[in-house]
Amino acid sequence: MGRLASLHQKRDRIASRRGCRLLQLLLAAYCSRAQANKFGIFVADLPSKFNRDLLNVAEERSLASFIQGGIGPKMDVALGVRGFHATYDYSLEVVMHERLLEHPYRASTSASAEVVFVPFYAGLALLIHSQNAGDIKELESRLWEYLREAEPDILLHPQRYVLPLAKVANEFVQEPLPPLGVPAWGSAILRHPFLGSATFVTIEKHPGSSPVCLLMKGQSDARCVQRSHAAHGKVDASLTAARIIGMPYPSYFHAPNASDTQPPWLRSRDVDTQEGGPYQHCFVGKSRRTYDFGEMLMPLRESLTEQCRRHVRCQLAEWTGAPELVQAYSRATFCLQPSGDTATRKGVFDAILVGCIPVVFDKQQLHGQYEMHMPAPEEVSVEVPEEHHGTCLEWLDNIPRAKVLQLQASIARSAPRLQYATHAPSPQTHPDAVDTLLEGLLSNIPGSHNQAPVDECSLSEHN
C-alpha cells in the first residue's frame, strides 16, 4: 500500500498543475493496470486437447480459417473501409480466447481474479464429432477431471467459471439416452452435474421456434407445424443450473487499431427525404430447403421473397459469399432478418455493423437474448407486427424519416460493443463485445472491481 499511497500523492501534485495532462494519463494507465491485476479475469491454461488440437482438426477439415486470432483472413468488400475479415460463424470460442489472452484485465493467477475463463472449444468439438456424441461426452468428462484438480474452487463457486459455446445453447442441453448415457446428437454439457452450474456464454441464449411446412416427395399438399428448437423455444431452466449469457455472433467487421479507419456503421447512406418512403430494403436468404424426403418451406420467408420481388426498392439475394452480403446490406436502410433454424440470425449483427437497421418479426428473436450487449433491442431494430407480415415493406416505408435517423444514430452508438476488435482497446473508452461481457460479469460478482473503491486511482482535474 505504501507504493500506492505514494502514487496518490504524486497524482495530487500533478493534478494541481495545469498543463500536465500527459503525465496524468500515464499515471492513470498505471493505476488502471494495477486495478486490472487485482480485479480481473484469469485465462485457464488447458491441455491442448481441449482447444488447440480441436482447432487444428477443424482447419485440416477446411471448416474455416482461424488465422489472425480466430477472425480469419482479411476480406476486400470494396467499401473503402479496413477491418473486414472472412470470419467463421462459429468462431466465438477462438475469438474470445485470443482476445482475453491480450486483455488488460487479465490476471496472472486464478486466486487473484474474480472470473476464470475456461477456453474449452465445445462448439468446435460438436462440429468435429457431430456423428459421435460419445466422443463429445468423453472429452467433457476429461475436462471436468482436469478442472477438479487444477481449479478446485470450481466445486465451491462454479458460476465464477466462464465457458464459451460457439453454437446455440440448445445444442448443449441434449438428453442422455440409455444405456450409455450419451445423447443421440449434440452435447449434454449444460446438464453436467458440476460443469452445468458454471457460467456459459453462447451466440444464442434461447433458440426459439418458427412455423415450417414439409412437402413430402410425391405429395401435393404441405404439412405445416410450429418447429420448436427447445421446450417452448427456451432452454428449460429445470434442465441446467448454468447461468447462460448471450454473446453477439462474430460478424465480418473487427475494429482495427487505426485512427484513420472510419467504422462502416458511420458511413453516409441515402435516407429518403420524402416521408412515406420508399426506403431501400434488402433480404438475403433462402425460403426452401431440399432434403431426401422432400422440401421444407418457411412461409414467412416465402412471403418476404415475393414482397421483395414486387417492391420498387428491395434487393433480393441468395447467399453467394460474405463480400456480396456486406455490399448488399451496406446499401440498404432496412435489412430483413426472419428466423431460420433458430430464433435470431448472424445477419442481425452483419446488418448493424454496416449501419443497416435489422427488421425482426418476433419478440423472441432479440428480446431476452443479449441483455448485456443489447439491453433495449427496440433502439437498434424494428419489429414488424404479425398483422403486417404480409405487407412488411409497405409498413416499413411508412416509418417516419425522423424515426429512421434516430435508429441509425442508436446503431452508431451501440455497434462498437457488438463487434470483436482486432486489438486490445481501452475497455473504458472503446469497449467491444468482450469488454462488455467482462463489465457485466464483474459488476455482478460480490467484491468485483466495479464494486471496489477504484476511485482511489481516478485522476480528475483540479483547479
Side-chain angles (χ1 to χ4, degrees), residues 305-381:
T305 298
E306 288 305 312
Q307 290 180 58
C308 192
R309 283 181 179 145
R310 295 194 303 266
H311 194 275
V312 66
R313 295 192 68 192
C314 184
Q315 180 179 359
L316 179 65
E318 287 197 0
W319 170 261
T320 56
E324 290 76 19
L325 178 140
V326 171
Q327 287 276 5
Y329 281 178
S330 69
R331 289 191 289 263
T333 302
F334 291 104
C335 293
L336 309 182
Q337 305 294 339
S339 294
D341 289 331
T342 54
T344 191
R345 301 176 76 196
K346 177 177 174 287
V348 168
F349 301 98
D350 295 335
I352 286 175
L353 293 188
V354 294
C356 187
I357 302 166
V359 179
V360 298
F361 298 85
D362 193 305
K363 198 169 289 293
Q364 69 177 349
Q365 287 188 253
L366 293 178
H367 280 270
Q369 293 277 15
Y370 307 102
E371 294 101 332
M372 287 186 184
H373 297 79
M374 199 185 292
E378 67 279 1
E379 294 181 1
V380 295
S381 66

Side-chain angles (χ1 to χ4, degrees), residues 91-399:
S91 62
L92 177 68
E93 295 149 353
V94 187
V95 171
M96 282 192 66
H97 189 189
E98 295 293 337
R99 273 283 284 120
L100 288 171
L101 287 174
E102 302 297 328
H103 202 278
Y105 282 176
R106 185 182 175 191
S108 56
T109 65
S110 175
S112 66
E114 267 64 41
V115 174
V116 177
F117 179 73
V118 181
F120 172 47
Y121 296 172
L124 280 186
L126 207 60
L127 289 163
I128 291 168
H129 301 295
S130 59
Q131 303 302 315
N132 194 339
D135 288 348
I136 298 172
K137 181 181 178 182
E138 175 67 17
L139 196 59
E140 292 167 354
S141 297
R142 293 293 177 88
L143 175 67
W144 170 246
E145 291 172 6
Y146 173 82
L147 290 174
R148 188 175 54 190
E149 295 297 323
E151 293 285 341
D153 189 55
I154 196 172
L155 292 164
L156 299 176
H157 305 103
Q159 290 204 331
R160 176 178 169 243
Y161 291 79
V162 177
L163 288 83
L165 300 176
K167 302 202 77 184
V168 298
N170 184 51
E171 297 194 35
F172 300 92
V173 71
Q174 298 304 306
E175 186 174 2
L177 301 175
L180 300 178
V182 174
W185 67 277
S187 161
I189 193 170
L190 289 177
R191 292 176 178 264
H192 191 281
F194 299 105
L195 288 174
S197 295
T199 296
F200 289 83
V201 293
T202 174
I203 53 174
E204 280 190 51
K205 183 175 177 180
H206 301 306
S209 61
S210 57
V212 297
C213 298
L214 303 177
L215 182 61
M216 302 297 185
K217 284 183 177 179
Q219 297 184 6
S220 57
D221 295 328
R223 181 171 63 90
C224 298
V225 297
Q226 184 73 13
R227 179 179 58 166
S228 181
H229 305 286
H232 311 296
K234 293 183 178 291
V235 173
D236 193 335
S238 67
L239 302 181
T240 176
R243 179 186 179 197
I244 303 175
I245 298 170
M247 282 286 282
Y249 275 84
S251 186
Y252 302 115
F253 181 76
H254 307 270
N257 189 10
S259 58
D260 62 340
T261 299
Q262 184 187 46
W265 52 82
L266 294 180
R267 292 176 67 253
S268 62
R269 65 185 58 236
D270 173 42
V271 176
D272 305 87
T273 56
Q274 179 182 351
E275 291 294 347
Y279 298 112
Q280 181 67 43
H281 309 289
C282 179
F283 176 42
V284 179
K286 292 183 177 181
S287 59
R288 296 180 176 224
R289 289 185 182 167
T290 303
Y291 298 94
D292 292 340
F293 60 78
E295 282 189 304
M296 182 177 75
L297 288 63
M298 290 167 271
L300 177 57
R301 289 185 172 216
E302 292 260 294
S303 172
L304 295 177
T305 298
E306 288 305 312
Q307 290 180 58
C308 192
R309 283 181 179 145
R310 295 194 303 266
H311 194 275
V312 66
R313 295 192 68 192
C314 184
Q315 180 179 359
L316 179 65
E318 287 197 0
W319 170 261
T320 56
E324 290 76 19
L325 178 140
V326 171
Q327 287 276 5
Y329 281 178
S330 69
R331 289 191 289 263
T333 302
F334 291 104
C335 293
L336 309 182
Q337 305 294 339
S339 294
D341 289 331
T342 54
T344 191
R345 301 176 76 196
K346 177 177 174 287
V348 168
F349 301 98
D350 295 335
I352 286 175
L353 293 188
V354 294
C356 187
I357 302 166
V359 179
V360 298
F361 298 85
D362 193 305
K363 198 169 289 293
Q364 69 177 349
Q365 287 188 253
L366 293 178
H367 280 270
Q369 293 277 15
Y370 307 102
E371 294 101 332
M372 287 186 184
H373 297 79
M374 199 185 292
E378 67 279 1
E379 294 181 1
V380 295
S381 66
V382 171
E383 181 186 336
V384 180
E386 186 173 0
E387 61 268 25
H388 291 290
H389 284 186
T391 55
C392 163
L393 301 186
E394 288 80 0
W395 185 85
L396 290 170
D397 284 339
N398 285 316
I399 295 177

